[in-house]
Amino acid sequence: MNKIAMVDLKRQYEKIKPEIDKAISEVIESTAFINGPSVKAFQADLEQYLGVRHVIPCGNGTDALQVAMMALGLKPGDEVITANFTFIATVEVIALLGLTPVVVDVDPDTFNIDPDAIRRTITPKTKAIVPVHLFGQCADMDAILQIAREFNLYVIEDACQAIGADYIFGDGSRKKAGTIGHIGCTSFFPSKNLGCYGDGGAIFTNDDDLAKKMRSVVNHGMTVRYYHDDVGVNSRLDSIQAAVLKIKLARLDEYAAARNRAAEFYDKAFANNPKLKTPVRFGRSTHVFHQYTLVTSGIDRGALQEYLAQKEIPAMIYYPVPLHFQKAYQDPRYKEGDFPVSEHLCKTVISLPMHTELDEEQLNYITSSVLEFVNR
Ligand SMILES: *Cc1c(COP(=O)(O)O)cnc(C)c1O
């Protein structure tokens, strides 16, 4: 059996090696390392794939979120609402810009931000909502857009884990994750669903003025060379990464299908087990399974992780600590018990290996090992 990885980038690379190696050496030969033709070509492909007017490539997903908030002109004191159960980057950039992060609890089934909790948390200072499409499926965007319209708020989607997922509106129409709010952000970190071979990210919008502003902000606030209209940052996607991403984007749907096949295998094996709750599909979104996350009950989760590790099966806890318990984000407004769902999830979730290369032998071994522990 092939060694099991949380994410198997090696075997994925081996299948596309000739194409990738050729594309990388073409960039090296061209010496157009920054903003070369491969960046423009990837940008155009991604705009077409997403059905969005503008893709602005940038350095990573964290920068994408930061640039979005800078371009919207958010000011210190403005409140930005986001989920309490997410990767830290979402809240980090809010704090970094001197804005006030306001966290709310998530839905126990989808792990995504709870729209009713958003509504209860809005104040006159609230300027934006940042829904995170966690683990590969979209948050409840019908409800979030409705709230945003009512209170005149910006919506910045953190689509770092959900590129390629479709949101299905109440009327049956569809949009890709990250193209629904005012601005969408994604990451091309190697382990993401569309990962490059280093750091990378992108920002999406259908708004021409915002796009212009963000293209300026990622490039030192400059549209005409050496004339700086905005305070900007230096955040670029390099040409080698874009060349890799162009090749992988052409396979993104195939990759999502492979992830879904693995998820269905897991679902079947763990169905009706009272100690394991399999991921709940939110009817309004397709799932691209960035993670396959179980909610355990009545078992020692740490012991399960240890048991799997002894059998050379990696498993991870995404995420062990809710934001209001993080040392850097201590806030006197929040105390233990304020976000019961996030607190419970942090104590009980475990994510199994999930990637495009899992085969049946590996899946059988993983599921039978989990069940051995759970049913003993
Ligand atoms: C990965 C991730 C980010 C940050 O992306 P980087 O490219 O690593 O900066 C932000 N938000 C979420 C939800 C993520 O998963």
Side-chain angles (χ1 to χ4, degrees):
M1 183 171 63
N2 285 304
K3 191 170 161 54
I4 299 170
M6 201 64 201
V7 181
D8 195 337
L9 295 174
K10 184 75 203 287
R11 287 215 295 152
Q12 188 190 61
Y13 165 60
E14 278 160 5
K15 289 184 182 163
I16 50 176
K17 184 173 166 23
E19 226 180 310
I20 293 275
D21 291 4
K22 179 166 174 278
I24 290 178
S25 55
E26 276 169 12
V27 174
I28 297 172
E29 291 291 338
S30 80
T31 69
F33 295 114
I34 299 287
N35 267 331
S38 66
V39 178
K40 293 276 174 311
F42 168 64
Q43 177 189 317
D45 283 6
L46 189 56
E47 282 166 352
Q48 169 151 29
Y49 173 84
L50 294 171
V52 72
R53 283 178 65 81
H54 305 282
V55 165
I56 297 110
C58 65
N60 55 67
T62 309
D63 280 0
L65 289 160
Q66 180 179 332
V67 169
M69 288 177 207
M70 289 171 74
L72 289 171
L74 302 184
K75 296 274 177 323
D78 288 350
E79 293 179 359
V80 178
I81 299 178
T82 192
N84 194 33
F85 183 62
T86 178
F87 180 58
I88 200 68
T90 324
V91 171
E92 187 174 45
V93 298
I94 301 172
L96 205 60
L97 292 173
L99 315 175
T100 306
V102 176
V103 292
V104 301
D105 215 348
V106 296
D107 179 274
D109 287 332
T110 63
F111 313 133
N112 275 327
I113 194 164
D114 174 1
D116 293 330
I118 296 176
R119 197 176 273 281
R120 286 195 298 273
T121 314
I122 290 171
T123 75
K125 289 183 178 166
T126 309
K127 290 288 151 55
I129 308 169
V130 185
V132 182
H133 304 314
L134 203 71
F135 299 155
Q137 69 181 344
C138 296
D140 185 348
M141 294 306 291
D142 282 272
I144 291 164
L145 293 181
Q146 173 62 33
I147 294 167
R149 274 192 295 268
E150 249 174 77
F151 294 92
N152 198 24
L153 307 175
Y154 292 117
V155 176
I156 304 166
E157 299 172 72
D158 182 340
C160 290
Q161 300 188 1
I163 193 157
D166 279 336
Y167 185 79
I168 306 149
F169 288 89
D171 67 5
S173 63
R174 287 173 177 243
K175 276 187 185 171
K176 289 283 182 199
T179 69
I180 306 161
H182 298 88
I183 301 177
C185 299
T186 207
S187 163
F188 304 126
F189 185 78
S191 65
K192 298 286 156 93
N193 287 37
L194 180 58
C196 56
Y197 293 170
D199 270 313
I203 319 165
F204 319 140
T205 188
N206 283 307
D207 183 313
D208 296 349
D209 294 334
L210 273 177
K212 195 164 166 234
K213 186 94 174 172
M214 292 192 286
R215 281 190 213 290
S216 157
V217 172
V218 296
N219 188 27
H220 302 294
M222 162 170 93
T223 345
V224 179
R225 193 170 274 221
Y226 306 125
Y227 289 80
H228 303 274
D229 297 343
D230 303 296
V231 174
V233 295
N234 170 15
S235 186
R236 296 182 281 235
L237 180 70
D238 73 66
S239 308
I240 287 180
Q241 301 310 333
V244 169
L245 287 165
K246 185 170 165 29
I247 292 164
K248 290 182 68 174
L249 175 61
R251 291 171 173 78
L252 186 59
D253 288 345
E254 191 190 300
Y255 287 159
R259 288 170 175 274
N260 269 277
R261 282 195 297 277
E264 279 156 27
F265 193 103
Y266 284 142
D267 279 350
K268 233 188 199 161
F270 304 138
N272 307 316
N273 192 305
K275 293 177 182 167
L276 302 173
K277 182 179 169 190
T278 56
V280 176
R281 309 296 198 278
F282 174 48
R284 289 280 173 85
S285 175
T286 62
H287 206 319
V288 292
F289 283 99
H290 177 60
Q291 298 298 341
Y292 184 90
T293 302
L294 295 165
V295 184
T296 63
S297 61
I299 62 167
D300 180 342
R301 176 184 65 172
L304 169 60
Q305 192 179 18
E306 181 60 31
Y307 183 79
L308 295 174
Q310 276 165 16
K311 299 183 137 238
E312 295 196 44
I313 300 168
M316 298 287 284
I317 311 303
Y318 301 121
Y319 294 95
V321 183
L323 289 169
H324 69 300
F325 292 163
Q326 294 286 2
K327 207 161 143 196
Y329 299 91
Q330 288 302 309
D331 185 323
R333 284 174 304 173
Y334 303 135
K335 59 179 188 312
E336 187 165 358
D338 282 352
F339 307 98
V341 178
S342 316
E343 290 174 23
H344 176 73
L345 291 173
C346 289
K347 287 182 197 136
T348 54
V349 290
I350 187 163
S351 299
L352 298 180
M354 175 48 78
H355 53 79
T356 57
E357 310 303 316
L358 283 163
D359 61 40
E360 203 156 306
E361 189 186 13
Q362 292 174 317
L363 288 165
N364 259 319
Y365 178 67
I366 297 165
T367 51
S368 55
S369 302
V370 170
L371 290 171
E372 258 162 43
F373 179 89
V374 168
N375 295 333
R376 71 184 179 183

